[in-house]
């Protein structure tokens, strides 16, 4: 297994920059509100300093008016600014972050099938769940906390310096300890969090595998083995979590030492400055309170740095999928490629990771209006060839092109009208029958949908459904038979109106009523288009313009039905055996 790529730090920074630079005024407003909230936070210590000075100089009660007014003003202003900075930051970052999951799934759908298979479902699932949540949590909480704490620290250091530069210097004594602590923590934490994400991915993969194989696990009584694997992967994840907690505890312990050193230094400097009449007791009090007010923001910055780092790592994993998929291409490029005419495969070879070559040196040319059928024994590579021609997999050697573009590239179009592939597993999406059809064209009217169902002969059974087109089907709805699912997929392909169709369906027994209906529907879908049919029943191949006979990944014979029968070769033998019912292709 090769996990999907992770975007480099540069890509993550570029994404963050795109988010803030797209709305510069909003970004400036966030900065202004955050600074205002931090400045307002200094009002409390200053007011207390004034009160202390008033007490020391035996001033009357009137001396309290100014500090109380300052306190009230700063409290009201600070509350308003804090609210504004949170609301503005949310308006800035939440819309792009909110769309991340959809963007990643959209990108994953544009990736070649083998790339996704090689990465395993667990990788994509953990990215679209754990990583998206981490980034969203950071955007809604940690990012705001970090910004406001960082600005508060900067403003407070300036405030300390404005009282007396020696206060700022004393406060900065804590910085080397904090910096060292942070460096130590990040060095410790980074591999721990990377391991935690990996362990979580492995645990998800084990669970998905176990759920997927539930019937086999039951049938073969592999419960203990499956449970054992889940327990091992869970224990590994828990161990890493414990290591992370231990590191965090030591981290906070060391930060307490930094606070002690900094506050001690400020008090000592304050004592010396007051004795030397450089500052008043009020200013020294304000300085000590300023510094004590830094404990929270410093802890916040240092604590969320690590959450932000994890979120940045998660963002890297999410952007990695979009970078690997490349940007979506638009309909004009698809139309240009289709206008280019033929779908051509040259010397195409392919093997699954770690396996033998299953398609080798295949050449074929599909013109518009022509039908090519591929026949061969089970396992000869027909379905794999279909996915290569459809652009769902990328050849290991050789090329597949349509109008100068690779079908894999064209498959990145959101609604590619170049090539439609119908596989053996026609998936029924949860939703109404109409929803299932509209995946091909979201703007299609009900009349248009009905037209497609009538054309492929599926209108009769759809009309018999309790709510016709509006009947809920798929998971949680009415279950459709494989034949109905295939029929619906053919109607959807007709609605998509592609230039080429690749049909790889094997749902019905030869000679059955279902087979005749699906064959007729397939003929309607293929009409006027270029078509590649993976013939699981030889009668599907007989009327094709050209038949390719595949054996162990190679095309060993090619020609029209009559021509191949007359040649008396492999196709002749296959046909005779099939017609006698001695063999059954899949
Ligand atoms: N996803 C996969 N990963 C690894 N090997 C695969 C995969 N799919 C197919 N194969 C192997 O590739 C070879 C060709 O399979 P393919 O499905 O293309 O043949 P086929 O002629 O279409 O067979 P069938 O008619 O049974 O579908 C087989 O040996 C098969 O086991």
């Amino acid at each position: 297994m090769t996990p999907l790529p992770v975007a480099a730090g540069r890509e993550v920074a570029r994404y963050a920059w795109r988010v803030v630079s797209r709305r510069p005024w909003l970004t400036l407003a966030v900065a202004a509100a955050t600074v205002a909230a931090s400045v307002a936070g200094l009002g409390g210590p200053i007011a207390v300093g004034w009160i202390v000075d008033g007490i020391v100089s035996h001033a009357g009660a009137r001396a309290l008016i100014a500090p109380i007014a300052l306190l009230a003003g700063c409290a009201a202003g600070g509350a308003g600014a804090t609210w504004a900075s949170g609301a503005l930051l949310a308006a800035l970052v939440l819309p792009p972050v909110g769309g991340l999951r959809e963007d990643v799934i959209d990108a994953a759908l544009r990736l070649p099938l083998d790339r996704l298979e090689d990465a395993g479902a667990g990788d994509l699932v953990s990215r679209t769940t754990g990583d998206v949540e981490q980034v969203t949590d950071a955007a809604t909480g940690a990012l705001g906390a970090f910004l406001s704490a960082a600005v508060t620290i900067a403003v407070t250091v300036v405030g300390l310096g404005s009282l007396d530069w020696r206060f700022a210097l004393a406060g900065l004594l804590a910085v080397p300890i904090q910096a060292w602590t942070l460096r130590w923590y990040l060095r410790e934490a980074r591999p721990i969090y990377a391991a935690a994400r990996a362990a979580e991915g492995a645990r998800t993969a084990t669970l998905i595998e176990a759920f997927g194989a539930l019937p086999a696990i039951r049938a073969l009584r592999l419960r203990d083995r499956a449970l054992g694997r889940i327990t091992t992967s869970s224990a590994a994840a828990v161990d890493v979590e414990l290591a992370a907690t231990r590191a965090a505890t030591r981290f906070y312990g060391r930060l307490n030492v930094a606070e002690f050193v900094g506050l001690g230094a400020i008090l000592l400097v304050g004592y010396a400055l007051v004795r030397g009449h450089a500052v008043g007791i009020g200013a020294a009090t304000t300085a000590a309170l300023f510094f004590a007010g830094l404990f929270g923001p410093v802890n916040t910055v240092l604590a969320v740095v690590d959450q932000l780092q994890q979120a940045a790592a998660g963002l890297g994993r999410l952007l990695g999928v979009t970078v690997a998929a490349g940007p979506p291409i638009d309909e004009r490029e698809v139309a240009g490629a289709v206008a280019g005419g033929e779908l051509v495969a040259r010397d195409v070879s392919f093997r699954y990771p770690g396996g033998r070559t299953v398609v080798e040196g295949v050449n074929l040319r599909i013109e518009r209006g022509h039908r090519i059928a591929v026949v061969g024994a089970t396992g000869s590579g027909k379905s794999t060839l279909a996915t290569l021609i459809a652009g769902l997999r990328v050849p290991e050697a050789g090329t597949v092109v349509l109008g100068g573009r690779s079908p894999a590239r064209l498959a990145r179009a959101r609604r590619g009208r170049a090539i439609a592939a119908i596989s053996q597993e026609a998936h029924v999406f949860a939703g109404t029958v109409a929803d299932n059809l509209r995946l091909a064209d979201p703007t299609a009217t009900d009349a248009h949908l009905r037209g497609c169902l009538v054309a492929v002969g599926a209108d009769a059974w759809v009309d018999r459904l309790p709510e016709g087109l509006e009947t809920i089907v798929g998971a949680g709805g009415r279950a459709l038979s494989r034949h109905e699912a295939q029929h619906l997929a053919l109607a959807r392909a007709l609605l998509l109106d592609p230039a080429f169709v690749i049909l790889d369906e094997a749902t019905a027994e030869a000679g059955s009523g279902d087979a005749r209906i699906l064959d007729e529907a397939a003929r309607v879908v293929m009409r006027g288009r270029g078509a590649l049919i993976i013939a699981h029943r030889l009668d599907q191949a007989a009327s094709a313009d050209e038949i390719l006979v595949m054996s162990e990944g190679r095309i060993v014979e090619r020609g029209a039905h009559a021509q191949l029968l007359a040649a008396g070769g492999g196709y002749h033998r296959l046909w005779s055996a099939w017609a006698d019912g001695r063999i059954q292709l899949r």
Side-chain angles (χ1 to χ4, degrees):
M1 276 202 191
T2 317
L4 292 166
V6 175
R10 223 179 27 252
E11 288 287 343
V12 175
R14 206 175 296 152
Y15 173 83
W17 175 246
R18 268 204 310 276
V19 169
V20 294
S21 62
R22 206 174 290 152
R23 292 194 282 171
W25 289 112
L26 192 54
T27 306
L28 274 179
V30 171
T34 311
V35 170
S38 300
V39 170
L42 298 185
I46 293 173
V48 173
W50 288 353
I51 293 171
V52 168
D53 278 340
I55 294 168
V56 170
S57 62
H58 302 290
R62 290 173 67 91
L64 288 179
I65 294 175
I68 287 172
L70 178 68
L71 266 178
C74 285
T82 303
W83 174 84
S85 94
L88 292 169
L89 183 66
L92 181 67
V93 299
L94 287 192
V97 166
L100 260 177
R101 196 187 320 251
E102 286 76 6
D103 292 347
V104 171
I105 292 172
D106 185 46
L109 292 176
R110 280 183 272 122
L111 279 172
L113 202 56
D114 44 340
R115 188 68 195 83
L116 276 182
E117 283 173 357
D118 195 22
D123 188 16
L124 192 59
V125 170
S126 80
R127 289 184 197 223
T128 48
T129 52
D131 287 323
V132 168
E133 267 148 39
Q134 215 156 38
V135 173
T136 314
D137 285 352
T140 50
L143 184 63
F146 177 83
L147 278 182
S148 100
V151 173
T152 300
I153 293 168
V155 167
T156 308
V157 170
V158 172
L160 274 175
S162 72
L163 291 170
D164 191 294
W165 61 271
R166 284 158 286 197
F167 282 130
L169 212 58
L172 289 177
L173 275 183
V175 172
I177 307 174
Q178 287 160 338
W180 171 76
T181 303
L182 184 63
R183 225 177 116 237
W184 165 84
Y185 182 58
L186 293 182
R187 212 178 39 228
E188 285 270 302
R190 210 170 282 150
I192 294 176
Y193 285 118
R197 304 292 304 134
E200 210 175 290
R203 181 172 54 185
T204 311
T206 316
L207 284 171
I208 289 176
E209 194 198 13
F211 291 149
L214 220 47
I217 290 172
R218 282 209 184 116
L220 301 173
R221 303 194 192 294
L222 296 175
R223 183 176 166 276
D224 290 345
R225 188 170 165 272
L227 268 181
R229 292 187 58 182
I230 292 171
T231 310
T232 309
S233 62
S234 292
V238 171
D239 282 349
V240 191
E241 286 295 333
L242 278 177
T245 310
R246 275 196 294 273
T249 312
R250 268 182 286 166
F251 171 64
Y252 285 111
R254 290 177 195 196
L255 284 187
N256 288 343
V257 174
E259 287 165 4
F260 174 77
V261 169
L263 189 58
I266 294 256
L267 290 175
L268 279 176
V269 166
Y271 176 76
L273 291 178
V274 170
R275 281 204 64 156
H277 303 290
V279 298
I281 295 180
T285 309
T286 300
L289 290 177
F290 273 174
F291 191 79
L294 281 179
F295 292 177
V298 168
N299 282 1
T300 302
V301 163
L302 299 184
V304 298
V305 150
D306 131 63
Q307 199 183 339
L308 289 178
Q309 268 211 331
Q310 285 178 57
L315 192 56
R317 284 161 54 82
L318 294 173
L319 296 177
V321 183
T322 55
V323 171
I329 62 168
D330 70 22
E331 280 282 303
R332 273 172 307 194
E333 185 171 341
V334 178
V338 168
E342 302 167 342
L343 184 52
V344 182
R346 282 194 199 93
D347 289 325
V348 167
S349 298
F350 181 82
R351 66 182 148 147
Y352 291 99
R356 63 187 171 85
T357 302
V358 293
V359 170
E360 201 169 353
V362 168
N363 287 289
L364 63 85
R365 174 184 298 270
I366 314 174
E367 293 162 32
R368 295 288 290 273
H370 269 236
R371 274 192 282 156
I372 295 188
V374 185
V375 302
T378 185
S380 55
K382 306 182 297 291
S383 298
T384 307
L385 177 64
T387 57
L388 290 164
I389 303 295
L392 299 173
R393 298 185 194 281
V394 179
E396 192 186 1
T399 55
V400 181
V401 285
L402 168 60
R405 316 291 203 292
S406 93
R409 173 164 173 78
L410 298 176
R412 284 179 15 207
R414 287 232 164 78
R415 189 165 159 248
R417 280 190 163 148
I419 306 170
I422 299 185
S423 74
Q424 301 184 32
E425 296 304 327
H427 185 74
V428 180
F429 294 87
T432 64
V433 173
D435 291 339
N436 269 273
L437 291 172
R438 282 205 181 93
L439 289 170
D441 180 2
T443 61
T445 61
D446 277 3
H448 199 174
L449 302 186
R450 268 203 70 75
C452 291
L453 289 172
V454 170
V456 299
D459 53 320
W461 66 260
V462 170
D463 285 345
R464 277 198 301 275
L465 295 175
E467 320 238 355
L469 266 177
E470 296 309 314
T471 308
I472 308 253
V473 292
R478 188 184 182 284
L480 295 187
S481 68
R482 286 191 72 191
H483 164 255
E484 288 168 334
Q486 205 75 34
H487 218 168
L488 208 55
L490 286 164
R492 183 164 54 217
L494 195 63
L495 186 64
L496 186 65
D497 191 19
F500 293 86
V501 281
I502 316 285
L503 296 176
D504 181 10
E505 23 128 21
T507 47
E509 291 300 317
S512 69
D514 281 355
R516 268 193 299 278
I517 291 169
L518 287 180
D519 283 350
E520 183 48 37
R523 254 191 294 280
V524 171
V525 173
M526 287 188 286
R527 200 170 292 149
R529 311 175 204 280
L532 183 76
I533 318 151
I534 305 306
H536 296 272
R537 304 185 307 271
L538 280 192
D539 54 346
Q540 291 174 306
S543 59
D545 297 297
E546 188 183 16
I547 299 170
L548 311 180
V549 183
M550 263 189 113
S551 172
E552 296 181 359
R554 292 180 162 277
I555 296 188
V556 290
E557 266 180 83
R558 60 201 311 159
H561 177 69
Q563 199 183 351
L564 288 177
L565 280 188
Y571 181 76
H572 182 263
R573 283 192 296 280
L574 208 59
W575 178 265
S576 309
W578 183 79
D580 295 349
R582 278 184 281 129
I583 62 158
Q584 226 174 5
L585 307 178
R586 265 200 49 233

